Amino acid sequence: MSGPPPPPPPPPMGGFGDGPPPPPPPPPIGGSGDAPPSPPPPPPPPMGGSGDAPLPPPPAPAPIGSGGDTEDTPNDALLPPLAPADNVSAVPVEAEVVNVDPVNVEPVGVPEEVTADSLPPAEVSVPEMPQEEPTAKMVDEMAPPVPLEEPTFEDPLKPDAADINRIDQNYPPEFIGEEPEVPDKEGAEFVPVWNLMYDEDEEEGEYVVDPLTLRDIGETSVPLVIFLIILIIMLAALLVWLGFIVHCDVQFLCEVFDLSTATDAEYLYETFPFEIPSVYVWAALSAAVLAMVVVCLFAINVIRQDVGTPRMVEIAAYVREGSVAFLRREYIFLAFAILVLTLLVGFGINWRMAISLVIGAVLSGITGYIGMSIATRGNVRTAALSAISMTDGLNVAFRSGAVMGLSVVAIGLGGLSAVYLMLKDVRSLAGFSAGASTVALFARVGGGIYTKAADVGADLIGKVESGIPEDDPRNPATIADNVGDNVGDVAGMGADLFESFVGSIVAAAILGASLPYYFDNPFALCVANHLDIDITCGPFGYPERRSYAHTICGAGNFWLNYPVLRTWGSVSIFVAYPFMLGMIGVLISCLCTLFVYVPDLKHVAKEKWNDRLLWALRTNILIGIVLVLGASFGLSWGFFGRQSEFQTYEGFGSATLLRAVLSGDADQCRVDPTTSLPIGRRLVTDYYRPIDSLFFEYPSPRQTVWRLFLCVACGLILGFMIGTLTEYFTSGGSWPTQSIGQSGEYGAGAVVIQGLGVGMLSTVAPMLLVIAVIIGSYNLFSAYGIAISAVGMLSTLGITMATDAYGPVADNAGGIAEMAELPPTVRETTDALDALGNTTAATGKGFSNGSAVLTAYALLTALIQDSGLSPSPRELTGSITTVPERIITSRNDVSLTDIYVVGSAFIGIMLPYLFGALTMLAVSRAARAIMAEVRRQFNEIPGLKEGKAGVRPNHRRCIAISTTSSIREMFAPGLIAIVSPLVIGFAFGQKALVGLLIAAIGSGYMMGILMSNAGGAWDNAKKLVEAGFFGKENAKGTEWHKATVAGDTVGDPFKDTSGPSMNILIKLMTTVGLVAISLMRPDLSLWYIGLILFVALVLLAAGLWAWNGHRASKEMDQMRRIKTHDEIKAPPKTLAKRAAMKSIPLEDVVPGSAYDGALAAAGGTNAMRAGVNMDVTRLPGLGNYTDQPVPGTQWTTAFRNNDDAIRDSARSGNGGY
């Protein structure tokens, strides 16, 4: 950049002949002969002091000379011209003329800090006048500059004439020889490049930072260490306690019955009493505490890493400050919503479920806060360690993500176990899932709106409108964008998968408690084993409608042939199975997150880095899948294998159980009047093969071990395949993304059309896979098998979530590296880690989609059971002395001939589209507010857009706008998700609710896949264009690139707001229905409650919508009217230690190399000499380390070793690239 214009010449002074006058300051205060004296300079104002007495003024500078004996020496031959003072005008005053010998004149300087004690006594009398407080800049301008020494030609850094001539050809002539703009710092002076020291020899400089943000520089955390000690003590106590329980030394804990089976439990679904599997639930709790110990160790390990420079710490502190502020405000509003739901559930159902709801909500919020807290500390450390190596940077980012992943599974499993042991009610765990779902929805929607509003606003005004790079420190929205990554992709995604994890375990436990393996009830086993006769023949007798199965078992005490199942052969073991699967997943996740091996990338092309790094992370996931498969087979064998207690009961391990079957004759169902039994019956010995109320015939107990193991395997394989398909449709190396980038040749419309087509196409294969797993798991072991598949899929969640949460940490690290102006090699490393994070984030969203639909369907099956639409075990079985209340064929089926079911199904299909529309429009409104604020700051803060030293944007204003907008906008979608199932269930009945949910699950899953995959593909298509995949002539700044930027702008809310929120929508609707289903009726008898809820929903949603739109418009109008030209003052200065970068001597630069090209592009050696570029290491696109070759240059080391052959080859044009 050019220097300031030269000052105007002063009036003639006399005594200098024809020589040029000296440049001001100081102006001459005297002359000789008849020449009139020039106006004297203004008197210096007081420099401070105590009281009202002004300090004496500094001495006036002596005149350079007058008289005939002095030699005519032009002053500009010794001193470079100085910039004129800003806003300083000369005030003519009368002053005494002093003649000074020019030969003995010493230049007068002003000390760095001007105080009253440092000023000499005044030597010039000036009349009194109003005093003005001086500025440091005015004082600097009144001091004559120190003359520079002539350069010595022996200095090896001084360029020769040929070098200057060669470089000057690439340097704009208008810049040559001009003085550089001096940075706005005290004590700055211009020094030619040949007088500069190497960076490694320079003293550490100063950088403007906020001292209040330099808090996160410690290497440990006292609260974290205290919490770790508490956890270790808890773990030791739990292990001792577990030893007592295993041997049943504590009898009252070994024989605890589940309270959901009590007759006054207020549940429509009534089953028989069973013992809580205390040993396994305590074991799961112990494993969760162990995982939390690992979480603390990982967190301490992250905190101990280097934080880099104070400027990096300052930026990271801003990000953490904004993240904490958002979560704090969001949780305040969520507390009110949870309180209302708790009261409704407590008074409407029971207080055990209400307490469970509160605990689930609190633990979900704690999980999100833990993940966000460590992510906002790991980002700056990832950036700092990326300067050392990619392995170090990847490991600290992955370990930060592992804290989030392990926290999700540890707190989820531990919380569920503790609540179950405390409340002793397996069905009350539905409240735990409902509380977690409520927090997850608002966290995901609010965080998604926040992150995309800040991202879109920062990109459109920064990159597109103002033409500044991404994550540029001048952009006021960059900090808000980085905050959004943490609150949306860390806390929001963590809450989402926390709910999926606990929801799958809850669904499996509830369904396991209803399986026909009744505890200590042989009569119920007998009836369940003969329900096939009731299905075939139906009830007999009129009007009694009696059950054949009940009659057969009661005749002659036939039920005495059936075993008495204890804890390890009854439903208790099926309730314990999902807890133990979760425990296996937690322990294996701890093992597989210890370290990530990164291969050597020195000899790998940059375009292959992402693939190598992806396989490094994928290796950990594959190892985890293999370990979970092996451990789950061992668990299944231990629970249900041949040597287990499960196989020791009659009819379980061998076909020795008596059973009545029909003969198959035409009159087989005719009743013998003497015995009231079917005449076509006959007795056989067989395995125990019960039938449930949904007409599913269970296999023999001998097959249980491999059937349940296959359910786990189906879930694990489904998760891996969905991740692979998601990667294919979103990765830049595959056809779908490349086709979107190719369509940029034809404009933004073609990009959007191609992206939508790819997104729609990407829904086919995942949906077919999910259907196959649902059907296969159901045929393996009924609805319980579907729930076990969901648990199996999520058993590796600790590892998968670690790779997912790693992405935002790496993204933040890249932003910090850019804003802190770290060397280009650091940004290159963080960009590679960020690109990997984009892929893992897309894979994580696909994984979340698949697990959501499995969990939602399992919860829907539990809802159907609890609805009373099908008979419960107590209703089907009765007792020895009482007849059953219902027959298995007396089901209230959900039929598509029911017009209310069909209408509700259509509403369910529509709801995900309405939900997506509300979230997309919310992002649009919030982004407009951010854009208006960024534009206002660029226009009204002088020097901000130009990057003037000391000028800073107001980050906190953008953070406040994003926080307020996202919290305000998240309530309307949340209300629809919570209230819609209640409206349909009360107004149209339970069957209509089932139709609503099954349609919403299918529609929401398709929408989630479409939006997530299309958004990810648009994003990576833009990056392909920026990387020059379609030619350098079509890269950044071209119309081709602008078209893909438009597609990426559409895709941002697709993939980070609306798409991921679909998972929580379908899970929350199903969970709310499961909690409230017992309050509803199969018919329309409670229609008025549904009508009241519908009117309230419409009024609230419309009011919120109108209020949000009005507030958004009002805020933007206010921001447009704000007119302020006050410069934002920099915070106080403090020493900032920069990492020293080693210089490359100019004599070693190879012609044609990357360094030579960058040097020429930056103005060449002449620009260094002129001071435009004052640091030879700060050139664009270079990493200047002496122990590493410059990127694109293979000859630097050879030059230092004086290899003449290579030197000659390079200078002849064969070296360099």
Side-chain angles (χ1 to χ4, degrees), residues 752-889:
V752 174
I753 292 172
Q754 186 73 13
L756 287 174
V758 167
M760 294 175 184
L761 184 64
S762 69
T763 64
V764 177
M767 178 57 83
L768 293 177
L769 285 172
V770 168
I771 293 172
V773 169
I774 289 177
I775 294 176
S777 300
Y778 182 84
N779 283 290
L780 284 171
F781 215 83
S782 74
Y784 181 76
I786 299 175
I788 291 300
S789 292
V791 177
M793 181 178 181
L794 292 163
S795 60
T796 59
L797 178 60
I799 315 169
T800 307
M801 184 66 200
T803 60
D804 190 9
Y806 144 87
V809 176
D811 189 8
N812 271 205
I816 291 172
E818 180 73 23
M819 287 184 278
E821 301 178 356
L822 297 185
T825 48
V826 179
R827 183 68 205 219
E828 187 177 73
T829 301
T830 57
D831 282 347
L833 298 179
D834 184 22
L836 174 64
N838 290 334
T839 304
T840 59
T843 305
K845 291 181 178 68
F847 182 86
S848 177
N849 286 328
S851 63
V853 71
L854 283 184
T855 302
Y857 188 80
L859 290 170
L860 178 62
T861 308
L863 179 148
I864 294 173
Q865 285 188 348
D866 284 3
S867 66
L869 296 175
S870 59
S872 67
R874 282 185 183 271
E875 293 174 327
L876 281 177
T877 304
S879 66
I880 302 173
T881 58
T882 58
V883 296
E885 299 177 16
R886 296 174 66 179
I887 307 300
I888 192 172
T889 55

Side-chain angles (χ1 to χ4, degrees), residues 1080-1156:
M1080 303 171 184
R1081 299 292 179 266
D1083 52 23
L1084 308 181
S1085 58
L1086 300 178
W1087 62 270
Y1088 56 92
I1089 299 179
L1091 180 61
I1092 294 173
L1093 290 173
F1094 175 73
V1095 173
L1097 174 62
V1098 170
L1099 292 178
L1100 283 174
L1104 284 172
W1105 180 262
W1107 181 57
N1108 289 338
H1110 172 71
R1111 287 290 301 270
S1113 301
K1114 185 177 179 181
E1115 286 177 355
M1116 286 189 292
D1117 290 341
Q1118 288 176 349
M1119 283 185 284
R1120 291 190 187 101
R1121 291 195 297 267
I1122 293 176
K1123 296 296 182 182
T1124 174
H1125 297 283
D1126 295 332
E1127 180 177 312
I1128 296 180
K1129 300 299 182 182
K1133 295 183 179 182
T1134 184
L1135 286 179
K1137 297 182 180 179
R1138 288 174 177 249
M1141 297 174 294
K1142 298 181 179 179
S1143 305
I1144 293 180
L1146 296 180
E1147 62 182 5
D1148 285 353
V1149 176
V1150 179
S1153 67
Y1155 190 95
D1156 182 58

Side-chain angles (χ1 to χ4, degrees), residues 562-935:
Y562 282 75
V564 177
L565 302 183
R566 307 310 300 172
T567 301
W568 314 130
S570 65
V571 295
S572 299
I573 201 70
F574 291 95
V575 173
Y577 191 72
F579 283 93
M580 296 303 292
L581 271 180
M583 185 189 77
I584 287 173
V586 167
L587 296 178
I588 291 177
S589 296
C590 292
L591 180 65
C592 292
T593 52
L594 290 176
F595 182 75
V596 179
Y597 170 72
V598 181
D600 187 8
L601 301 177
K602 290 182 179 178
H603 305 291
V604 179
K606 289 184 180 179
E607 56 270 16
K608 298 293 184 181
W609 281 12
N610 189 65
D611 294 338
R612 296 292 183 90
L613 294 174
L614 183 62
W615 270 107
L617 294 181
R618 189 179 292 166
T619 300
N620 285 46
I621 297 177
L622 290 174
I623 293 174
I625 291 175
V626 172
L627 292 177
V628 169
L629 279 174
S632 62
F633 180 79
L635 174 66
S636 302
W637 184 263
F639 273 16
F640 309 106
R642 292 187 180 181
Q643 306 301 321
S644 66
E645 183 178 339
F646 186 77
Q647 296 288 336
T648 61
Y649 295 101
E650 192 77 21
F652 282 57
S654 59
T656 57
L657 188 64
L658 284 177
R659 179 184 182 188
V661 297
L662 296 176
S663 60
D665 299 333
D667 58 349
Q668 61 181 354
C669 293
R670 190 161 57 89
V671 178
D672 185 345
T674 59
T675 61
S676 298
L677 299 175
I679 61 174
R681 77 185 189 283
R682 58 188 178 89
L683 294 178
V684 296
T685 56
D686 196 1
Y687 289 100
Y688 178 63
R689 300 176 183 270
I691 294 179
D692 63 13
S693 59
L694 299 179
F695 291 3
F696 182 83
E697 182 177 358
Y698 288 85
S700 69
R702 289 286 297 273
Q703 300 178 10
T704 303
V705 56
W706 63 265
R707 284 176 178 265
L708 288 180
F709 169 71
L710 285 181
C711 290
V712 176
C714 285
L716 286 168
I717 294 173
L718 175 65
F720 181 77
M721 293 188 68
I722 285 180
T724 303
L725 285 170
T726 304
E727 180 187 336
Y728 171 74
F729 279 100
T730 59
S731 174
S734 57
W735 169 82
T737 302
Q738 293 176 4
S739 68
I740 297 174
Q742 183 68 47
S743 63
E745 181 180 4
Y746 306 103
V751 172
V752 174
I753 292 172
Q754 186 73 13
L756 287 174
V758 167
M760 294 175 184
L761 184 64
S762 69
T763 64
V764 177
M767 178 57 83
L768 293 177
L769 285 172
V770 168
I771 293 172
V773 169
I774 289 177
I775 294 176
S777 300
Y778 182 84
N779 283 290
L780 284 171
F781 215 83
S782 74
Y784 181 76
I786 299 175
I788 291 300
S789 292
V791 177
M793 181 178 181
L794 292 163
S795 60
T796 59
L797 178 60
I799 315 169
T800 307
M801 184 66 200
T803 60
D804 190 9
Y806 144 87
V809 176
D811 189 8
N812 271 205
I816 291 172
E818 180 73 23
M819 287 184 278
E821 301 178 356
L822 297 185
T825 48
V826 179
R827 183 68 205 219
E828 187 177 73
T829 301
T830 57
D831 282 347
L833 298 179
D834 184 22
L836 174 64
N838 290 334
T839 304
T840 59
T843 305
K845 291 181 178 68
F847 182 86
S848 177
N849 286 328
S851 63
V853 71
L854 283 184
T855 302
Y857 188 80
L859 290 170
L860 178 62
T861 308
L863 179 148
I864 294 173
Q865 285 188 348
D866 284 3
S867 66
L869 296 175
S870 59
S872 67
R874 282 185 183 271
E875 293 174 327
L876 281 177
T877 304
S879 66
I880 302 173
T881 58
T882 58
V883 296
E885 299 177 16
R886 296 174 66 179
I887 307 300
I888 192 172
T889 55
S890 62
R891 300 188 307 173
N892 208 342
D893 292 333
V894 179
S895 173
L896 290 180
T897 60
D898 188 337
I899 191 61
Y900 295 103
V901 173
V902 174
S904 300
F906 288 160
I907 295 174
I909 294 172
M910 173 270 296
L911 280 178
Y913 290 87
L914 175 61
F915 188 85
L918 292 177
T919 52
M920 292 280 289
L921 293 173
V923 170
S924 176
R925 280 196 297 267
R928 288 200 301 268
I930 290 292
M931 292 165 63
E933 174 62 19
V934 174
R935 186 183 292 119

Side-chain angles (χ1 to χ4, degrees), residues 92-109:
V93 292
E94 298 276 341
E96 180 182 355
V97 177
V98 180
N99 293 328
V100 183
D101 185 1
V103 178
N104 300 320
V105 168
E106 293 289 336
V108 179

